[in-house]
Structures are given as structure tokens and as C-alpha cells.
Amino acid sequence: MIRISVAGLLILASLTAFNQQTARDTIAVGRKHPLSDWFTESKYALFLHWGLYSQYSNQWKGKTLYGIGEWIMYLAQADIKEYEAAAQFFNPVRFNASEWVQIAKNAGMKYIVITAKHHEGFAMFNSFHPFNITTATPFKRDPMKELAAACAKEGIGLGFYYSQFQDWHEINDWSKDLPKQSFSAYFKNKCIPQVKELLTNYGSISLIWFDTPGEMTKEQSLELVKLVRKYQPRALINSRIGNGVGDYETYGDHEIPVKNVQGLWEAVNTSNDSWGYAWYDENWKTADVMARDLVSVIARGGNYMLNIGPKADGTLPKFNVDQILTVGKWIKQYPDAIYGATASPWLQAFPWGDVTVTKNNLNLFVFDWKPGASIYLTGIGNKIKTVVTKNTNEKLRYSFNNGVLKIELPVRTSNQLLECIRVELDGEPRVQASMAIDPNYPTSLSAAFATPEGAAFNKLSWMEKFGEWKHRTVINKWNQQDGAASWEANFMEPGYYQVEMDYHACKESDGTEFDLFNNASDTLRLYLTATTGAKEADGDRPRFRRTKVGIIKVAAPGMTKISLIRRNAAQKGDIHIASIQLNKTNF
Ligand code: JFZ
């Protein structure tokens, strides 16, 4: 007998439901909130997912349902009355608002955004609607009020997450028993009045964070904007209000864009896999990963908001707290390279790390410290004044010729969580961005920086497992005979380079041929095999593979055009190329 588990089916069903919500909501171009400087300077924030789901902690009727914790009600297709019942036991007596705010502050975070109401529909604040923490639980306190007071005292910003479209307590597709309220009735009778409560009962708030706008109309999104402007004219609104009417853009979960992004935006990610607390989820990010992610986001021009899922007793997971405090200590050595720092003039990461800018200084954060190796920065139009380690002022050996700065890393291991080198210039950086192909570090040419001809840029987003989003910028839609993409690469040294490709190819494109040209020096014939047995039509969950495809000779240093041209018509399927990596090899 063939049995498909109920959980498996639910995950399939929810994948479809979820997919409809993933189109990124962009903000209107050219409009800027007049009071957004605090946001630009803050850079780093704490996100908190806390609700009734924290009590369930991914267990429903004694069974663990794997996935993001705050989706437990959906994963269980829970009966609403049964789900509600948990409120009688929700009693986070160990919650201490000043402790949380103190931790955020010591972690170097400048504002906090907390789930006032998530998709489950439970208000974590004192509300007219009875499904809320002060009315329905033995706890009776209003944690939002306590947080608002603690944040105001410590000078930390506060924002409320409010799920405006999904409210499974009022609107759900799985319960046959409850009458299904129409969205417009819910919107008028619960959403608007609750948002008004959040805007009027908690003093001045920094922002309001909406989520999953679904099929909301522009009028409905604008009604919320009007409300926010009326009661909290200083507060920012994120793009997930829908319909392009927010003040800043929230990128897809777990996404750090490859190329700098203009305007106000944030990247969001969680400390482990789930947003809400899940008892089994110990896949914690360590401090060094958090520090790198923070730097990478700032280097692309954005803010980083890192999530923690507090437990039902009101405490924060200990390991999690230790890691963010380690990052906080590290930030204290380099505050000016983090807060208010601007994006990298090179528009993308280097193979050894990333760059932020503070006035006339470049802050080089070295993610991959190789003792004695040289790192390169090209296209610098300034004069170089000093090159030192930022915290200890250790002078580093360097050379500077024709705009190429070559810095030798000291022959020692890095003495930091993430070490920073300060390059002082004679003025604000004037940079002609090009990617230096570094002989010491395998260097990637990303799809985001290609020039396609007879091929196109695309972004693939998919759910790897329930709640885990992946995003890749690719070149795809190749003309079969002559579709091409090219990159400008600046080779620091001539020689032989091993080529690796990061790509996804479905079954129908197995055996697709490409030629890789390096100006006039060399041509390499590539034969790419399928990375998945799935057909193109099933391509919503792509499988990327990084694989070595050959060696190419580079005759002379300097700028070279690398071109990739598709050479056959036999294979029907498409190829999705994320990057080409060049790794200098002794040959
Ligand atoms: C949403 C929520 O459904 C989830 O529970 C969590 O609160 C997260 C922060 O936001 O999930 C989303 C919303 C948008 C995308 C991905 C997950 N997206 O655009 O890629």
C-alpha cells in the first residue's frame, strides 16, 4: 500500500500557498520618507518572532511538525478552538523587557521589531479583540507596553510586525466548522482597529512591519498608510505592506543581494532555521557568520535585521544570545565601519571579503584571512595615505600602481572574529569598479555582473525546505545557437586558471555545449550535464551544482573579456548560470 504522510501533503499544499506570496514587493522609485536618516545609520536590528506558536514550539498533539515554528497552526491545519486553547497556558513569567532591550543594545542592535500579531491572529498586546495576551492568558501583562517603555529608556527604536493579510484565526481555508469571514470584513473589523491600537497606545514607534500582502488591493494598502501617517508620521513602513506603497524595501527572507542596491532596504534572516521558537532547531548561526552577514549587507547598502525566537517562558535561547553578544563586542572595535557606513564602491563582494566606506576610509573586512597572501583592489582614482589594521594600527605592506592596490596580509592568523583593514585615501573614494581576478583567491564572476546577449537576467527564488528560502541571480533563456553572456575581468597575473561553473540544468538540457572565450588567448569547450532529473516544468526547486569544467590560459594581465556562448540546438531545455569561478592553478 502506498501511503503519503499527511505532513508531506500539507507541505506540498503550503508550498503552493506560500509561493503566491514570494513576489518581492518593491517600493515606489524616487520617493523618500523625510525622516529616514536614523534607519540609514542604524544598520543592525533585532527581529523577534514571539506568539502562541512559541508555546507550541512545533509540536501539535504530541507530534513534531517540522517547518518554521510560527506556521504551526497552518502545518497542523489546526482546529481554531483547539489552537486557541493554548492561550490558557501561555504564561511567559520570565519575560523581562529591560533584559531583552539590554541584550539587543549590547549586541550592537539599534532597533527591535517584534511580532505584535503574526499569521495565527493572536495579539501579543492589549487589544479590543479578545484573542490577545492580556485577555486570554493567565499572564495578563502587555509585553508590547513593557518593551515600548524599556526601548524608550535605552534609546532603542521599536517597530511592530503586524500580519495584515493572513489571519488564520479569522480567515482560513481548512476549517469547515467556522464561518469564513470575508477579507474586507476582517480588514475593517480587526486589522484596521488593531493597527490603530498599535499606533496610538505605545508612544512613538520607529516603524511598522507588514508581511505577506497576498491579494490586498492598492486601496487597502493605502488605507493602512493613511493610518500610519496620521498617528505616527515619523514611522517607516516596509514594502510588505504591498502594492509598492512602503517606505523601504524588505528583501526576501535569507537574501543578501549580489549587487549593491540603491535606496532604503533591509535584509532579514533568522539565527537558526525557524523564526518562531522550535524545540528541535539547534542549527544556530555562529558569531562569525552573523558578523559576515552584517558586513555583507552594509557593503551592499542595506540594513540587517537578525531574528531570534524567544521561548514561551519569556527567555531567549542561551546559545543564541551568546553569539549575538559576541558580535556586539566585536562591533565595539569598529563602530564607525558599521553604523552609518556606506556601500562598497566595487558594488560586489571580493573573494577575500567585503568593503564598507567611512568618509575617506575604506574598511576592508577580511572574511578569509590567508597569512601572507595578497589581496587586490582595482580602479582606485585616489592617492593612498595609510594601510593599517583598524583596531591595532599595525602598518601593512602594500604597493599601488595604475590604480591597483595590492595589500599583503601579515603572516599570522587573524586575531579577530572578523578583522578589518583601514585604507585611508586622500578624499572620498573615486573608484572605477572592476573585478580583480585574484591569484590567491578563487574569484567569482556573478551572473548579476554579466552582459547577456541572446540570454537574460533572472532571479530564481525557491523554498529548499518549508520556510527556507533560497535566491539566485542567473543568466538563462539562452538562444540555443548563439545565446551569450560576457564579463569584464581584471586579471592580476597571467597563467592558467581552473574554471568552475555554478549552474542549474534540468534533464532536458543534459549535455548542452558552450564555448568560453578569453579574448584572443584561449577558448574552452564546455559540456554541461543536467544537475537534476526533473524537467524544466518542475523547475520551481532548482538544483545548483558547482563543478570544475576545464582550464583556460590567460596570456597577459589586465582587463580581459570573458564570454560564454551557447553552441548547440539539440538540447531543448534552458540552463541557469549563477556564476563562473576562476582559480589560478600551477600548471
Ligand atoms: C514571512 C512569514 O510568512 C514568515 O512566517 C516570517 O514571519 C517571515 C519573516 O516572513 O515569510 C515570507 C515572506 C516573504 C518571503 C519569504 C517568506 N519572500 O518574499 O521571499
Side-chain angles (χ1 to χ4, degrees), residues 91-108:
N91 199 10
V93 289
R94 295 177 69 191
F95 168 69
N96 181 332
S98 14
E99 232 171 76
W100 284 14
V101 173
Q102 216 35 261
I103 289 170
K105 199 171 179 178
N106 291 336

Side-chain angles (χ1 to χ4, degrees), residues 433-444:
S434 75
M435 181 42 85
I437 307 299
D438 193 318
N440 304 305
Y441 291 88
T443 308
S444 280

Side-chain angles (χ1 to χ4, degrees), residues 33-297:
H33 194 292
L35 297 166
S36 57
D37 285 354
W38 71 269
F39 183 85
T40 312
E41 281 153 24
S42 294
K43 294 297 165 205
Y44 192 27
L46 177 64
F47 204 6
L48 295 167
H49 275 65
W50 198 38
L52 271 191
Y53 45 81
S54 315
Q55 167 139 333
Y56 283 111
S57 176
N58 284 63
Q59 281 173 301
W60 183 254
K61 299 189 175 174
K63 202 172 164 229
T64 298
L65 302 181
Y66 296 91
I68 38 180
E70 70 284 5
W71 276 68
I72 183 76
M73 186 176 183
Y74 188 99
L75 292 170
Q77 306 276 290
D79 172 85
I80 287 162
K81 289 279 166 247
E82 279 181 352
Y83 190 86
E84 269 182 349
Q88 295 165 34
F89 308 101
F90 190 60
N91 199 10
V93 289
R94 295 177 69 191
F95 168 69
N96 181 332
S98 14
E99 232 171 76
W100 284 14
V101 173
Q102 216 35 261
I103 289 170
K105 199 171 179 178
N106 291 336
M109 294 153 160
K110 300 292 190 186
Y111 55 100
I112 297 175
V113 177
I114 183 162
T115 49
K117 188 201 83 174
H118 205 269
H119 308 335
E120 65 178 357
F122 184 70
M124 290 291 282
F125 56 98
N126 183 11
S127 174
F128 80 94
H129 192 288
F131 192 40
N132 77 70
I133 190 162
T134 60
T135 311
T137 75
F139 187 55
K140 295 198 168 21
R141 284 155 54 187
D142 179 345
M144 300 301 123
K145 197 124 232 171
E146 294 175 23
L147 274 171
C151 283
K153 189 164 160 236
E154 296 293 341
I156 295 290
L158 181 65
F160 291 127
Y161 172 114
Y162 189 89
S163 176
Q164 79 279 28
F165 178 72
Q166 298 196 77
D167 186 317
W168 302 324
H169 186 263
E170 313 305 322
I171 301 169
N172 61 79
D173 292 324
W174 63 87
S175 169
K176 308 270 180 290
D177 307 321
L178 280 179
K180 195 173 139 182
Q181 225 195 57
S182 78
F183 179 74
S184 56
Y186 147 79
F187 190 66
K188 182 164 167 272
N189 301 327
K190 185 174 180 184
C191 177
I192 293 279
Q194 281 198 330
V195 170
K196 189 177 164 193
E197 288 178 326
L198 290 169
L199 295 172
T200 50
N201 295 340
Y202 299 90
S204 171
I205 62 169
S206 298
L207 61 91
I208 182 139
W209 212 92
F210 293 106
D211 201 4
T212 62
E215 290 105 57
M216 273 175 71
T217 64
K218 185 154 188 184
E219 286 64 42
Q220 288 162 337
S221 296
L222 284 172
E223 205 177 327
L224 287 171
V225 172
K226 224 172 99 190
L227 206 63
V228 178
R229 301 293 186 241
K230 181 168 175 194
Y231 295 109
Q232 297 274 350
R234 305 179 71 90
L236 299 185
I237 302 170
N238 73 332
S239 57
R240 291 191 189 171
I241 190 170
N243 299 295
V245 299
D247 297 314
Y248 71 90
E249 189 165 346
T250 298
Y251 262 66
D253 303 5
H254 316 301
E255 180 178 13
I256 300 178
V258 180
K259 196 175 184 172
N260 286 13
V261 173
Q262 301 298 316
L264 300 182
W265 66 276
E266 72 181 350
V268 292
N269 204 349
T270 184
S271 302
N272 45 352
D273 289 333
S274 179
W275 302 86
Y277 181 72
W279 74 267
Y280 61 85
D281 185 358
E282 298 277 359
N283 192 17
W284 303 112
K285 286 175 188 64
T286 49
D288 59 326
V289 172
M290 292 173 176
R292 278 168 207 209
D293 285 352
L294 173 62
V295 166
S296 305
V297 174

